[in-house]
Amino acid sequence: LAEPRSTVSFDLEPSGTQTKLTVVHSGFGPDSVVLPDVSGGWPKVLSWLKTFLESGAYESVDTPAAK
């Protein structure tokens, strides 16, 4: 069965000399089969983004979808 579309919002706010990023991914039903995969993917993507922004070093994100 197809699941309804989910929504991702990104909020950037100043925090001293840094910027705080808040990511909210919502719209999942209680029986969503996609939610566990998405929940596991965001930490990897955000960790990669943090490393890239702080160091400029580019490495691919190691996720099942990228293999």
Side-chain angles (χ1 to χ4, degrees):
L1 294 172
E3 294 197 30
R5 288 184 182 253
S6 60
T7 302
V8 180
S9 65
F10 301 92
D11 183 42
L12 298 169
E13 61 182 283
S15 179
T17 60
Q18 300 180 341
T19 302
K20 178 182 176 185
L21 168 63
T22 302
V23 179
V24 177
H25 197 162
S26 60
F28 297 98
D31 298 325
S32 174
V33 296
V34 175
L35 180 57
D37 291 336
V38 170
S39 297
W42 276 117
K44 290 180 182 179
V45 171
L46 296 174
S47 176
W48 174 89
L49 178 62
K50 180 179 186 292
T51 299
F52 176 72
L53 292 172
E54 290 177 346
S55 70
Y58 177 84
E59 294 184 25
S60 66
V61 177
D62 184 23
T63 62
K67 291 183 180 178

